[in-house]
Amino acid sequence: MTTKIDDFLPYLNDEDRANHLKAIGSIGDAFAYRTSIKVDPQRISNLPAVREHVLSGGAIALDIEAAISSLKNEPSISNALIAAEVEEAEIGKIQSDTATMSRADRLTYARERGLDRPRADVADSMSLNSHLAILQGLGPQQRIAYARRHGIS
């Protein structure tokens, strides 16, 4: 029977709870650095490596490699990793295709493949504050075009 570490945290001392938060942060940062995917701290909290490290009072060293392997084997995270690899491959193909093209040819390439418009999955998930932050860095004509394209105007 495996129980969640959260069930034990109220009974542990402050040092162990701080050790728990530090372990979650270390694993989350390492995973994000290697894969560019942020993981919910709750998923990290219940990994066996974290549980062993915290319950031993730090006597058992935090095995970051084992924790990362455990995270990679989780279905939702492995699906996100596959999607990230596919996107990286698509970007690599676009870069290699356009490396020797002239400016006009690159623009034609982008228009033919729909790369000159914002992606629906990104634009739809952005908040108004995110759009406003982007608008701040644009010139007046670009602001108007961006606002029209995203339905802000």
Side-chain angles (χ1 to χ4, degrees), residues 55-106:
L55 292 178
S56 71
I60 297 176
L62 180 61
D63 190 355
I64 292 179
E65 295 302 320
I68 288 174
S69 295
S70 295
L71 286 172
K72 284 182 177 180
N73 291 331
E74 194 166 314
S76 63
I77 295 173
S78 66
N79 290 341
L81 286 171
I82 291 170
E85 288 175 6
V86 167
E87 184 176 350
E88 189 176 314
E90 289 173 351
I91 291 170
K93 173 145 177 35
I94 291 169
Q95 289 174 338
S96 67
D97 288 350
T98 60
T100 58
M101 290 183 179
S102 69
R103 187 174 228 175
D105 290 340
R106 284 195 307 265

Coordinates of all heavy atoms in Angstrom, one line a residue, residues 55-106:
L55 N 11.2 11.2 3.8 CA 10.9 10.3 5.0 C 12.2 9.9 5.7 O 12.2 9.5 6.9 CB 10.1 9.1 4.6 CG 8.6 9.5 4.2 CD1 7.9 8.3 3.8 CD2 7.9 10.3 5.3
S56 N 13.3 9.8 5.0 CA 14.6 9.4 5.6 C 15.2 10.6 6.3 O 16.3 10.5 6.9 CB 15.5 8.9 4.6 OG 16.0 9.9 3.7
G57 N 14.6 11.8 6.3 CA 15.2 13.0 6.9 C 16.4 13.5 6.1 O 17.2 14.2 6.6
G58 N 16.5 13.1 4.8 CA 17.6 13.5 4.0 C 18.8 12.6 4.0 O 19.8 12.8 3.3
A59 N 18.7 11.5 4.8 CA 19.7 10.5 4.8 C 19.9 9.8 3.5 O 21.0 9.5 3.1 CB 19.5 9.5 5.9
I60 N 18.8 9.5 2.8 CA 18.9 9.0 1.5 C 18.9 10.2 0.5 O 18.1 11.0 0.5 CB 17.7 8.1 1.2 CG1 17.6 6.9 2.1 CG2 17.7 7.6 -0.3 CD1 16.4 6.0 1.9
A61 N 20.0 10.2 -0.3 CA 20.2 11.3 -1.2 C 19.0 11.3 -2.2 O 18.5 10.3 -2.6 CB 21.5 11.2 -1.9
L62 N 18.7 12.5 -2.6 CA 17.6 12.7 -3.6 C 18.1 12.2 -5.0 O 19.1 12.8 -5.5 CB 17.2 14.2 -3.7 CG 16.1 14.5 -4.7 CD1 14.8 13.8 -4.4 CD2 15.9 16.0 -4.8
D63 N 17.5 11.2 -5.5 CA 17.9 10.7 -6.8 C 17.1 11.4 -7.9 O 16.0 10.9 -8.3 CB 17.7 9.2 -6.8 CG 18.3 8.5 -8.0 OD1 18.8 9.2 -8.9 OD2 18.2 7.2 -8.1
I64 N 17.7 12.4 -8.4 CA 17.0 13.2 -9.5 C 16.9 12.4 -10.8 O 15.8 12.5 -11.4 CB 17.8 14.5 -9.7 CG1 17.7 15.4 -8.4 CG2 17.3 15.3 -10.9 CD1 18.4 16.7 -8.5
E65 N 17.9 11.6 -11.1 CA 17.8 10.8 -12.3 C 16.6 9.9 -12.3 O 15.9 9.7 -13.3 CB 19.1 10.1 -12.6 CG 20.3 11.0 -12.9 CD 20.0 11.9 -14.1 OE1 19.5 11.5 -15.1 OE2 20.4 13.1 -14.0
A66 N 16.4 9.2 -11.2 CA 15.3 8.3 -11.0 C 14.0 9.0 -11.1 O 13.0 8.5 -11.6 CB 15.4 7.5 -9.7
A67 N 13.9 10.2 -10.5 CA 12.7 11.0 -10.5 C 12.4 11.4 -11.9 O 11.2 11.4 -12.3 CB 12.9 12.2 -9.5
I68 N 13.4 11.8 -12.6 CA 13.1 12.3 -14.0 C 12.6 11.1 -14.8 O 11.7 11.2 -15.7 CB 14.4 12.9 -14.6 CG1 14.6 14.3 -13.9 CG2 14.3 13.1 -16.1 CD1 15.8 15.0 -14.3
S69 N 13.2 9.9 -14.6 CA 12.8 8.7 -15.4 C 11.4 8.4 -15.0 O 10.6 8.0 -15.9 CB 13.7 7.5 -15.0 OG 15.0 7.8 -15.5
S70 N 11.0 8.5 -13.8 CA 9.6 8.2 -13.3 C 8.7 9.2 -14.0 O 7.6 8.8 -14.4 CB 9.5 8.3 -11.8 OG 10.2 7.4 -11.2
L71 N 9.0 10.5 -14.1 CA 8.2 11.5 -14.7 C 8.0 11.2 -16.2 O 6.9 11.3 -16.7 CB 8.7 12.9 -14.5 CG 8.6 13.5 -13.1 CD1 9.3 14.8 -13.0 CD2 7.1 13.7 -12.8
K72 N 9.1 10.8 -16.9 CA 9.0 10.5 -18.3 C 8.1 9.3 -18.6 O 7.6 9.3 -19.7 CB 10.4 10.3 -18.8 CG 11.3 11.5 -19.0 CD 12.6 11.2 -19.6 CE 13.4 12.5 -19.8 NZ 14.7 12.2 -20.4
N73 N 8.0 8.4 -17.7 CA 7.2 7.2 -17.9 C 5.7 7.5 -17.6 O 4.9 6.6 -18.0 CB 7.7 6.1 -17.0 CG 9.0 5.5 -17.4 OD1 9.3 5.6 -18.6 ND2 9.8 5.0 -16.5
E74 N 5.4 8.6 -17.1 CA 4.0 8.9 -16.8 C 3.3 9.3 -18.1 O 3.8 10.1 -18.9 CB 3.9 10.1 -15.8 CG 2.5 10.2 -15.3 CD 2.5 11.2 -14.1 OE1 3.3 11.0 -13.2 OE2 1.6 12.0 -14.1
P75 N 2.1 8.7 -18.4 CA 1.5 8.8 -19.8 C 1.3 10.3 -20.2 O 1.6 10.6 -21.3 CB 0.2 8.1 -19.6 CG 0.4 7.1 -18.6 CD 1.4 7.7 -17.6
S76 N 0.8 11.1 -19.4 CA 0.5 12.5 -19.8 C 1.7 13.3 -20.1 O 1.8 14.1 -21.0 CB -0.4 13.2 -18.8 OG 0.3 13.3 -17.6
I77 N 2.8 13.0 -19.3 CA 4.0 13.7 -19.5 C 4.8 13.1 -20.8 O 5.3 13.9 -21.5 CB 4.9 13.6 -18.3 CG1 4.2 14.4 -17.1 CG2 6.3 14.1 -18.5 CD1 4.9 14.2 -15.8
S78 N 4.7 11.8 -21.0 CA 5.4 11.3 -22.1 C 4.7 11.7 -23.4 O 5.3 12.0 -24.4 CB 5.4 9.7 -22.1 OG 4.1 9.2 -22.2
N79 N 3.3 11.9 -23.4 CA 2.6 12.5 -24.5 C 3.1 13.9 -24.8 O 3.3 14.3 -26.0 CB 1.1 12.5 -24.3 CG 0.6 11.1 -24.4 OD1 1.2 10.1 -24.9 ND2 -0.6 10.9 -23.8
A80 N 3.3 14.7 -23.8 CA 3.8 16.1 -23.9 C 5.2 16.1 -24.5 O 5.6 16.9 -25.3 CB 3.7 16.8 -22.6
L81 N 6.0 15.1 -24.0 CA 7.4 15.0 -24.6 C 7.4 14.7 -26.0 O 8.2 15.2 -26.8 CB 8.2 14.0 -23.8 CG 8.6 14.3 -22.4 CD1 9.2 13.1 -21.6 CD2 9.6 15.4 -22.4
I82 N 6.5 13.8 -26.4 CA 6.4 13.4 -27.9 C 6.0 14.6 -28.7 O 6.5 14.9 -29.7 CB 5.5 12.2 -28.1 CG1 6.1 11.0 -27.5 CG2 5.1 12.0 -29.5 CD1 5.1 9.8 -27.3
A83 N 5.0 15.3 -28.2 CA 4.5 16.5 -28.9 C 5.6 17.6 -29.0 O 5.8 18.2 -30.1 CB 3.3 17.1 -28.2
A84 N 6.4 17.7 -28.0 CA 7.5 18.7 -28.0 C 8.6 18.3 -29.0 O 9.1 19.1 -29.7 CB 8.1 18.8 -26.6
E85 N 8.8 17.0 -29.1 CA 9.8 16.5 -30.1 C 9.3 16.7 -31.5 O 10.1 17.0 -32.4 CB 10.1 15.0 -29.8 CG 10.9 14.7 -28.6 CD 11.1 13.2 -28.3 OE1 10.7 12.4 -29.2 OE2 11.7 12.9 -27.3
V86 N 8.0 16.4 -31.7 CA 7.5 16.6 -33.1 C 7.5 18.1 -33.5 O 7.9 18.5 -34.6 CB 6.0 16.2 -33.1 CG1 5.3 16.6 -34.4 CG2 5.9 14.6 -33.0
E87 N 7.2 19.0 -32.5 CA 7.3 20.4 -32.8 C 8.7 20.9 -33.1 O 9.0 21.6 -34.0 CB 6.7 21.2 -31.6 CG 6.7 22.7 -31.9 CD 6.1 23.5 -30.8 OE1 5.5 22.9 -29.8 OE2 6.2 24.7 -30.8
E88 N 9.7 20.3 -32.3 CA 11.1 20.6 -32.6 C 11.5 20.2 -34.0 O 12.3 20.9 -34.7 CB 11.9 20.0 -31.5 CG 13.4 20.4 -31.5 CD 14.1 19.8 -30.3 OE1 13.6 19.9 -29.2 OE2 15.2 19.3 -30.6
A89 N 11.1 19.0 -34.4 CA 11.4 18.5 -35.7 C 10.8 19.3 -36.8 O 11.5 19.6 -37.8 CB 10.9 17.0 -35.8
E90 N 9.6 19.8 -36.6 CA 8.9 20.7 -37.6 C 9.7 22.0 -37.7 O 9.9 22.5 -38.8 CB 7.5 20.9 -37.2 CG 6.6 19.8 -37.3 CD 5.2 20.0 -36.8 OE1 4.9 21.0 -36.1 OE2 4.3 19.1 -37.0
I91 N 10.1 22.6 -36.6 CA 10.9 23.8 -36.6 C 12.2 23.6 -37.3 O 12.6 24.4 -38.1 CB 11.0 24.3 -35.2 CG1 9.7 24.8 -34.6 CG2 12.1 25.5 -35.1 CD1 9.7 25.2 -33.1
G92 N 12.8 22.5 -37.0 CA 14.1 22.2 -37.7 C 14.0 22.1 -39.2 O 14.8 22.5 -39.9
K93 N 12.9 21.4 -39.6 CA 12.6 21.3 -41.1 C 12.4 22.7 -41.7 O 12.9 23.0 -42.8 CB 11.4 20.4 -41.3 CG 11.0 20.4 -42.8 CD 10.5 19.0 -43.2 CE 10.0 19.0 -44.6 NZ 10.7 19.7 -45.6
I94 N 11.6 23.5 -41.0 CA 11.4 24.8 -41.6 C 12.7 25.6 -41.7 O 12.9 26.3 -42.7 CB 10.3 25.6 -40.7 CG1 9.0 24.9 -40.9 CG2 10.3 27.1 -41.1 CD1 7.9 25.4 -39.8
Q95 N 13.5 25.5 -40.6 CA 14.8 26.3 -40.7 C 15.7 25.8 -41.8 O 16.4 26.6 -42.4 CB 15.4 26.2 -39.3 CG 14.7 27.0 -38.2 CD 15.3 26.8 -36.8 OE1 16.0 25.8 -36.6 NE2 15.1 27.7 -36.0
S96 N 15.7 24.4 -41.9 CA 16.6 23.9 -43.0 C 16.1 24.3 -44.4 O 16.8 24.5 -45.3 CB 16.8 22.4 -42.8 OG 15.6 21.7 -43.1
D97 N 14.7 24.3 -44.5 CA 14.1 24.6 -45.8 C 14.4 26.1 -46.2 O 14.6 26.4 -47.4 CB 12.6 24.3 -45.8 CG 12.3 22.9 -45.8 OD1 13.2 22.0 -46.1 OD2 11.1 22.5 -45.6
T98 N 14.3 26.9 -45.2 CA 14.4 28.4 -45.5 C 15.8 29.0 -45.4 O 16.0 30.2 -45.6 CB 13.5 29.1 -44.6 OG1 13.8 28.9 -43.2 CG2 12.0 28.7 -44.8
A99 N 16.8 28.2 -45.0 CA 18.1 28.7 -44.7 C 18.8 29.4 -45.9 O 19.4 30.4 -45.7 CB 19.0 27.5 -44.3
T100 N 18.5 28.9 -47.1 CA 19.2 29.5 -48.3 C 18.2 30.3 -49.1 O 18.6 30.8 -50.2 CB 19.8 28.4 -49.1 OG1 18.8 27.5 -49.5 CG2 20.9 27.7 -48.4
M101 N 17.0 30.6 -48.6 CA 16.0 31.3 -49.4 C 16.2 32.8 -49.3 O 16.7 33.3 -48.3 CB 14.6 31.0 -49.0 CG 14.1 29.6 -49.3 SD 12.4 29.4 -48.7 CE 12.1 27.7 -49.3
S102 N 15.8 33.5 -50.3 CA 15.7 35.0 -50.2 C 14.6 35.4 -49.3 O 13.7 34.6 -49.0 CB 15.6 35.6 -51.6 OG 14.3 35.3 -52.1
R103 N 14.5 36.6 -49.0 CA 13.5 37.2 -48.1 C 12.1 36.9 -48.7 O 11.2 36.5 -48.0 CB 13.8 38.6 -47.8 CG 12.9 39.3 -46.9 CD 13.3 40.7 -46.6 NE 13.3 40.8 -45.2 CZ 13.7 41.9 -44.6 NH1 14.2 42.9 -45.2 NH2 13.7 42.0 -43.3
A104 N 12.0 37.2 -50.0 CA 10.7 37.0 -50.7 C 10.3 35.6 -50.7 O 9.1 35.2 -50.5 CB 10.8 37.6 -52.1
D105 N 11.2 34.7 -51.0 CA 11.0 33.3 -51.0 C 10.5 32.7 -49.6 O 9.6 31.9 -49.5 CB 12.2 32.5 -51.5 CG 12.4 32.7 -53.0 OD1 11.5 33.2 -53.7 OD2 13.6 32.4 -53.4
R106 N 11.1 33.3 -48.6 CA 10.8 32.9 -47.2 C 9.3 33.3 -46.9 O 8.6 32.6 -46.3 CB 11.7 33.4 -46.2 CG 13.0 32.7 -46.1 CD 13.8 33.0 -44.8 NE 14.0 34.5 -44.6 CZ 15.1 35.2 -44.9 NH1 16.1 34.6 -45.6 NH2 15.2 36.5 -44.7

